[in-house]
Amino acid sequence: MSTPDLQTGPDVSTTSAPSPTPPPPAAAVGGAKPRRRGGKATGPRYPAWLAAPLLTYYLVIFVAPLLLLVAFALATQADSFAGEQYAFGFNLSNFEAVFDGLYLDVFVQTFLLAAGGTLATVLVGFPLAYWMARHVSSKRKMLVVLLVMIPFWTSFLIRTFAWKLILDGNGAFAGALGIDILYTWKAILIGLVYGYLPLFVLPVYASLERMDWTLVDGAKDLGATPWRAFRQITLPLTRPGIMAGTLLVFIPMAGEYVIPQMLGGGRFLFIGSVIQGQFIGASNWPFGSAVSIALMLILSAFVVLYVVSALKEEQFGE
Amino acid sequence: MSVETEFDVRFRGVTKRFGGVVAVDDLDLDVRKGEFLSLLGSSGCGKTTSLRMIAGFEQPTSGSILIGDDDAVGVPPYRRDVNTVFQHYALFPHMTVLDNVAYGLKQRGVEKAERRKRAQAALDLVHLEGREGRKPRELSGGQQQRVALARALVMEPRVLLLDEPLGALDQQLRKDMQVELKRIQQEVGITFVYVTHDQGEAMSMSDRIAVMCNGKIEQLDAPEVVYDRPSSAFVAGFIGEMNTMAGTVRGVSGGVATIDVASGTVAAPVDGVHPSGDVLVGIRPEKVRVVADLDGPNRVAATVVTRLQLGSQIQLVAEMADGTTLTAVVPRAGTDADVDDLVPGDHIHLSWSASAPILLAA
Ligand SMILES: Nc1ncnc2c1ncn2[C@@H]1O[C@H](COP(=O)(O)OP(=O)(O)OP(=O)(O)O)[C@@H](O)[C@H]1O
Ligand SMILES: [Mg+2]
């Protein structure tokens, strides 16, 4: 085997041995096996071309559309009703329009509702996941996990529409109870929590399942009240799962447009609705693309900030 | 202040059931102040359950538990003046060694500088200076064990509970830690309740051993008493090796019982109640000697079946005329005649001292 080949091959580094300091196994992060030391970093080596299918998929499904989106965002919408005509180029005016006052409000409203929805999901989902992990007998656990996932087997659209019927002040349910919140932000919040709850519950449940509960016994033995043991032991040790769960619900919530449309009655504009409108209604693809990219960038910034701050609080790994 | 009793923990008729399983069965136990008490028994006999009831992680189904003079039933673990060294240490993986050790003091509201000082002193006690800033997983098993010990000791509890703390260590480290644990216990003077299923461990460290079986205590005595005068065949078999012979008491005179066994008669000293009827006679293998002839009391002829080298000793299993076997453990280069040259098939004579046979309830 000639070494020069290995050194110059551009994608060898992606498939060669893992980095010298491997991240600790998930179990160690979760605190399940405190005695386990870092495993050996030498896995089997595979030829680089094995990555080709995945790379191709990634290029076609992710990179190419993204580049297309960027190209559209920098294009100019031609002023003709005849058809969709674009002049590709380097035009930043679409982005300038995004940060116009009007759309800025929509961004703020979107992130406020997504943040509120995420918070509500955590408040409902964490106790549920905790109950599943600690208080359901191991025989019934699979059944309960299944129950959490079952809503996924029905169309998201139909389930959201069902909420519309449930929350309708003139309908059989909310009407009978004298509740009238359809087409308000409360209805949107309920819809968001309902729609995304399983995405939060499952990763959190998984990290609670991995948790070594004798650590909590250890804390209580040393004088910690149940609440302090929870805050000082359970919470930091299951933080990776909680972080994964919050990100999994916050990001799609911020891009949501079905729920605000159906349960908010269009009165609460989400940035997702704006994007949809630009592509389908107004047929302004360049502007729609610019809004999409702006949303992606802002979300990415949020995610980075969140991950960094959460990791700083408790140093895991090294 | 009221007069303190001489006991740190008292069980009164304590029963613990898990569903249909009786883990601890009508148990009475007094743990003396400052003693090193071992709970010894085979797997599933209720050792951990007893310990967890002292710690407060389990509540008895019936009966009462006193810690000091206070009724402990219903008191949660975090309000008990006892601490536990867990079998797998239960060190907090996201905290440094120092923070682990200081954790309990923090819960008590001890101020930070004081906390550090006391945690440091506890780490010094277990010889872990210089490792304060490490995470638990960066330590060896033996070192983790010491951290767990320091973390409990720093609380200066009334009773320290240890659940097979050496179970995960290798043989040599176990031996070292046994000596170390005993030293520390004597140094700090805290009452230790130590759970183990290793009889050697219990023998070498304990002031008293409670031999448990099926949720009950079979015998509670000093190690040498448990060894020399086991109360039952179970205890005798659990602590060390024991030759047992079933027999019938023929008569008792002058503090000696004569018992008919399959291989002849055995004379066993009796103290207290006179035995009668069917009994078991036990003789420790190391009390059996190889002798030149049959001239004298307590001698029997036998044929060597197996011969096993145990380092400085030799274990001989010999068959007597009636087909029953007797095991002897004799020193290699000792007083006994030519044991080094014995091979299976050799005819030998075995003997034991008059005080060796132990009467056990059948
Ligand atoms: N939480 C529990 N639920 C149901 N049964 C239990 C529970 N804890 C213990 N038991 C049962 O109670 C009995 C005693 O268990 P315990 O753990 O006290 O034994 P042990 O003497 O510590 O054994 P080992 O040496 O194996 O640790 C066993 O039969 C066990 O199966
Ligand atoms: Mg046990």
Side-chain angles (χ1 to χ4, degrees):
Chain A
M1 188 90 203
S2 56
T3 32
D5 271 346
L6 271 179
Q7 282 165 346
T8 50
D11 36 12
V12 161
S13 63
T14 58
T15 51
S16 64
S19 56
T21 50
V29 174
K33 297 278 183 325
R35 280 171 307 129
R36 183 177 296 174
R37 320 285 302 275
K40 282 202 173 142
T42 49
R45 284 160 190 265
Y46 298 108
W49 58 262
L50 276 180
L54 191 69
L55 232 58
T56 315
Y57 180 84
Y58 182 74
L59 281 173
V60 171
I61 301 295
F62 182 69
V63 178
L66 197 65
L67 289 177
L68 219 59
L69 205 65
V70 172
F72 268 108
L74 296 173
T76 314
Q77 176 87 333
D79 241 348
S80 86
F81 283 87
E84 290 89 20
Q85 296 295 322
Y86 319 100
F88 289 102
F90 191 82
N91 173 13
L92 286 175
S93 67
N94 288 320
F95 285 99
E96 279 161 27
V98 169
F99 294 105
D100 231 5
L102 177 63
Y103 294 106
L104 219 54
D105 285 350
V106 179
F107 269 111
V108 170
Q109 183 163 302
T110 302
F111 285 121
L112 278 180
L113 273 167
T118 305
L119 188 70
T121 306
V122 172
L123 291 179
V124 176
F126 192 89
L128 176 62
Y130 190 87
W131 173 79
M132 284 164 60
R134 287 222 75 179
H135 297 290
V136 176
S137 70
S138 42
K139 266 181 277 175
R140 300 222 183 90
K141 268 182 181 155
M142 269 333 286
L143 181 72
V144 176
V145 170
L146 210 66
L147 284 176
V148 169
M149 292 195 305
I150 271 181
F152 277 144
W153 297 348
T154 313
S155 154
F156 184 61
L157 223 55
I158 292 173
R159 284 183 285 135
T160 308
F161 192 77
W163 271 106
K164 189 171 171 160
L165 298 182
I166 293 169
L167 294 176
D168 191 344
N170 302 319
F173 301 96
L177 295 169
I179 298 168
D180 190 11
I181 55 169
L182 189 62
Y183 303 142
T184 66
W185 61 269
K186 290 175 193 154
I188 297 180
L189 217 58
I190 290 175
L192 288 176
V193 172
Y194 169 79
Y196 290 96
L197 194 62
L199 282 182
F200 178 79
V201 168
L202 293 179
V204 172
Y205 167 75
S207 69
L208 285 168
E209 267 296 293
R210 274 206 309 272
M211 173 81 191
D212 176 4
W213 296 106
T214 60
L215 296 179
V216 174
D217 277 355
K220 286 185 192 164
D221 191 73
L222 292 164
T225 58
W227 170 243
R228 291 182 128 222
F230 174 77
R231 254 188 37 228
Q232 295 165 345
I233 310 298
T234 312
L235 212 52
L237 289 178
T238 52
R239 181 164 285 139
I242 298 171
M243 278 173 56
T246 41
L247 287 180
L248 272 175
V249 300
F250 177 73
I251 293 170
M253 272 184 191
E256 185 54 59
Y257 66 92
V258 172
I259 292 171
Q261 208 102 26
M262 277 192 172
L263 302 179
R267 264 187 267 177
F268 291 83
L269 216 50
F270 262 46
I271 205 69
S273 316
V274 171
I275 296 170
Q276 186 215 19
Q278 292 305 319
F279 276 95
I280 293 168
S283 284
N284 190 344
W285 288 23
F287 184 63
S289 303
V291 178
S292 298
I293 288 171
L295 177 64
M296 269 192 269
L297 288 177
I298 294 172
L299 271 180
S300 308
F302 268 125
V303 170
V304 169
L305 270 178
Y306 174 73
V307 171
V308 166
S309 72
L311 283 182
K312 230 187 218 161
E313 211 166 315
E314 209 72 57
Q315 294 126 10
F316 284 100
E318 311 321 304
Chain B
M1 247 184 89
S2 67
V3 182
E4 289 263 310
T5 46
E6 56 177 318
F7 299 112
D8 271 337
V9 181
R10 277 173 290 176
F11 278 46
R12 288 284 171 271
V14 172
T15 297
K16 176 65 184 179
R17 279 194 204 91
F18 293 106
V21 180
V22 180
V24 172
D25 188 4
D26 193 22
L27 194 76
D28 291 313
L29 171 67
D30 291 324
V31 182
R32 292 179 189 151
K33 208 178 266 306
E35 80 171 330
F36 193 125
L37 178 90
S38 290
L39 300 181
L40 175 67
S42 49
S43 187
C45 68
K47 307 180 295 289
T48 297
T49 305
S50 304
L51 211 64
R52 287 174 63 82
M53 285 195 286
I54 303 176
F57 293 119
E58 306 285 358
Q59 298 296 334
T61 310
S62 63
S64 73
I65 296 176
L66 296 179
I67 295 177
D69 288 326
D70 307 320
D71 188 354
V73 174
V75 179
Y78 50 91
R79 279 203 228 106
R80 294 188 183 210
D81 191 12
V82 299
N83 288 105
T84 308
V85 176
F86 291 86
Q87 178 161 15
H88 297 295
Y89 318 139
L91 299 179
F92 308 131
H94 57 306
M95 295 183 193
T96 61
V97 166
L98 193 71
D99 286 344
N100 262 282
V101 177
Y103 185 84
L105 298 175
K106 188 175 165 188
Q107 306 309 314
R108 269 191 200 159
V110 177
E111 169 250 337
K112 188 162 185 178
E114 176 67 13
R115 228 157 57 203
R116 286 187 74 94
K117 209 180 84 197
R118 275 154 69 177
Q120 189 63 60
L123 285 170
D124 291 350
L125 181 70
V126 298
H127 298 316
L128 264 185
E129 308 86 344
R131 305 246 161 44
E132 299 80 7
R134 301 256 189 109
K135 291 284 174 66
R137 71 169 148 278
E138 294 165 344
L139 301 180
S140 72
Q143 291 168 336
Q144 290 181 20
Q145 218 280 312
R146 288 162 190 266
V147 177
L149 196 60
R151 188 175 73 169
L153 283 172
V154 77
M155 304 297 285
E156 295 172 7
R158 179 189 277 277
V159 185
L160 188 69
L161 309 171
L162 304 100
D163 192 354
E164 307 205 23
L166 310 184
L169 304 182
D170 63 52
Q171 196 61 42
Q172 188 53 47
L173 206 52
R174 277 178 89 115
K175 287 261 152 58
D176 295 346
M177 278 308 292
Q178 285 173 22
V179 176
E180 189 78 356
L181 268 177
K182 189 67 191 172
R183 170 188 72 81
I184 289 169
Q185 195 256 340
Q186 281 165 344
E187 205 167 315
V188 297
I190 293 174
T191 308
F192 274 35
V193 179
Y194 188 96
V195 161
T196 181
H197 59 244
D198 181 328
Q199 47 122 344
E201 212 167 273
M203 291 293 289
S204 67
M205 289 191 285
S206 319
D207 295 317
R208 290 196 302 160
I209 299 177
V211 184
M212 291 186 68
C213 178
N214 293 331
K216 287 183 186 294
I217 292 181
E218 287 274 322
Q219 186 171 10
L220 173 55
D221 266 313
E224 55 281 4
V225 177
V226 174
Y227 189 83
D228 291 339
R229 279 182 280 129
S231 65
S232 67
F234 173 82
V235 175
F238 202 82
I239 309 252
E241 304 282 312
M242 181 72 95
N243 293 297
T244 54
M245 293 169 268
T248 314
V249 178
R250 194 204 292 162
V252 183
S253 69
V256 176
T258 310
I259 300 127
D260 287 323
V261 296
S263 57
T265 60
V266 176
V270 287
D271 51 349
V273 283
H274 284 190
S276 62
D278 293 337
V279 290
L280 278 178
V281 190
I283 302 177
R284 295 279 181 199
E286 66 275 12
K287 299 252 167 101
V288 180
R289 288 282 164 265
V290 179
V291 290
D293 49 43
L294 288 176
D295 299 341
N298 305 321
R299 297 196 176 199
V300 66
T303 311
V304 176
V305 182
T306 60
R307 177 180 176 280
L308 201 68
Q309 200 82 257
L310 304 174
S312 62
Q313 291 173 315
I314 289 172
Q315 181 192 310
L316 294 169
V317 178
E319 194 177 288
M320 293 174 287
D322 65 299
T324 58
T325 59
L326 201 61
T327 304
V329 174
V330 295
R332 269 184 69 190
T335 49
D336 300 333
D338 302 328
V339 289
D340 268 351
D341 302 330
L342 289 176
V343 291
D346 284 354
H347 296 287
I348 54 169
H349 302 115
L350 296 172
S351 163
W352 53 87
S353 68
S355 63
I358 306 164
L359 273 178
L360 305 164

